[in-house]
Amino acid sequence: MKFFLAIFIILFHSNIFAETTHFCAHERAERSEKGGTGYYWEVLQAVYNIEGASMTHDTVPFLRCLLMVDKKTASAAVSVFKTPQRSKKFTYPQSRLHYSSYGIARLKQTSFTQIGNIKGDVGLTRGYDFSAWLPASLTIQLVENTIQGVRMLKHKRFKYYADDIKDIVLAINQIQETPNNYVIDTFYTKDLYVVFTKDARGQKLANMFDTGIRKIANNGTLQKLITKYKLTHSILNDFKR
């Protein structure tokens, strides 16, 4: 009986990972690019390679990616905040993938005192949950991505744009704008996670992420990727406790 139980467990585990694990993410420069390059994709490849699993990736808008995981047409969504509502729908690993600083960008000539006194429309990428630090009274204009947000800010379609600081700087460079024309103030830092389907397979994949990311932190792979992408902030200290 024990023999057959052991065989069943082995076959069950093998079946879970027989198919390729499919990840999706919103396109982000140097993080999750369409071609499969970027810090997030390389970290995930290293994590699941060391755990003996394979993965594929897809680049889709943020909200569509979350919907794909919720409907189980994708295994996991990359770079997601943790909220009570999302915790009910997705499986979160214990380890974070990264963390980012968020703030407000404005044209240099736009006056600003403090975030609570902002008057005028604020641009925000569709699907991003910034409710923890953006006043509820603000008038929000939704955009599809950071580049669109910076362009609309440039043309004064709104006075302020809220996003990941790194993404704003990269977008300004991508559209060949002069950085000195903009002022960016940082207000909030928040952890980013890979979220998995809310089922047994999603929990297994989350456990593999926790195990694998610790392994690549200990063997030096994570440090190499941090150096490669010139990250000034990383999660490396999470594994030195």
Side-chain angles (χ1 to χ4, degrees):
M1 182 66 180
K2 290 182 179 179
F3 172 78
F4 289 109
L5 179 60
I7 293 296
F8 173 78
I9 292 172
I10 291 170
L11 290 174
F12 176 73
H13 186 273
S14 299
N15 184 59
I16 285 178
F17 300 108
E19 61 182 279
T20 302
T21 303
H22 185 58
F23 291 77
C24 64
H26 179 68
E27 182 179 11
R28 305 182 76 184
E30 297 186 4
R31 296 291 184 267
S32 49
E33 299 192 14
K34 277 187 178 180
T37 58
Y39 176 70
Y40 296 157
W41 291 140
E42 291 203 43
V43 166
L44 288 169
Q45 288 283 2
V47 164
Y48 286 93
N49 282 345
I50 206 167
E51 289 297 291
S54 59
M55 60 168 279
T56 59
H57 58 81
D58 194 14
T59 303
V60 297
F62 181 73
L63 284 181
R64 189 190 305 171
C65 182
L66 290 182
L67 184 62
M68 287 169 65
V69 179
D70 188 30
K71 300 296 184 182
K72 300 181 182 178
T73 57
S75 304
V78 179
S79 184
V80 180
F81 293 158
K82 190 170 188 176
T83 68
Q85 183 181 11
R86 289 175 184 167
S87 294
K88 294 176 182 178
K89 299 173 69 174
F90 307 111
T91 301
Y92 279 80
Q94 294 181 3
S95 303
R96 53 187 180 167
L97 173 68
H98 191 47
Y99 59 96
S100 294
S101 296
Y102 297 86
I104 296 286
R106 56 189 167 90
L107 295 176
K108 197 171 184 178
Q109 63 269 28
T110 302
S111 62
F112 179 82
T113 53
Q114 58 183 355
I115 193 166
N117 293 334
I118 286 181
K119 293 181 179 180
D121 290 358
V122 177
L124 182 68
T125 298
R126 190 181 305 276
Y128 281 13
D129 179 11
F130 284 7
S131 57
W133 62 275
L134 283 179
S137 59
L138 293 180
T139 302
I140 301 296
Q141 283 196 41
L142 297 178
V143 299
E144 294 303 318
N145 53 55
T146 309
I147 288 179
Q148 182 186 11
V150 172
R151 282 179 172 154
M152 290 178 69
L153 180 64
K154 173 187 174 182
H155 294 293
K156 301 180 181 180
R157 297 283 299 278
F158 37 67
K159 291 180 69 174
Y160 307 97
Y161 178 61
D163 206 333
D164 178 290
I165 299 302
K166 176 71 172 176
D167 287 351
I168 294 173
V169 172
L170 287 172
I172 289 171
N173 292 333
Q174 283 181 307
I175 63 175
Q176 299 181 330
E177 275 294 290
T178 303
N180 290 339
N181 290 340
Y182 300 86
V183 178
I184 305 172
D185 298 292
T186 303
F187 292 101
Y188 193 63
T189 297
K190 195 163 185 176
D191 294 336
L192 297 170
Y193 292 87
V194 182
V195 298
F196 302 88
T197 52
K198 197 75 170 179
D199 54 15
R201 187 171 191 273
Q203 186 62 62
K204 291 281 186 179
L205 289 168
N207 293 344
M208 289 181 77
F209 177 83
D210 286 326
T211 303
I213 200 162
R214 180 169 290 278
K215 287 179 181 177
I216 68 168
N218 292 338
N219 71 12
T221 300
L222 185 59
Q223 178 62 72
K224 290 178 181 177
L225 293 174
I226 289 165
T227 302
K228 176 179 178 179
Y229 285 97
K230 300 177 182 178
L231 300 186
T232 54
H233 305 287
S234 76
I235 59 169
L236 201 58
N237 285 336
D238 291 2
F239 307 101
K240 294 180 179 179
R241 297 169 185 169

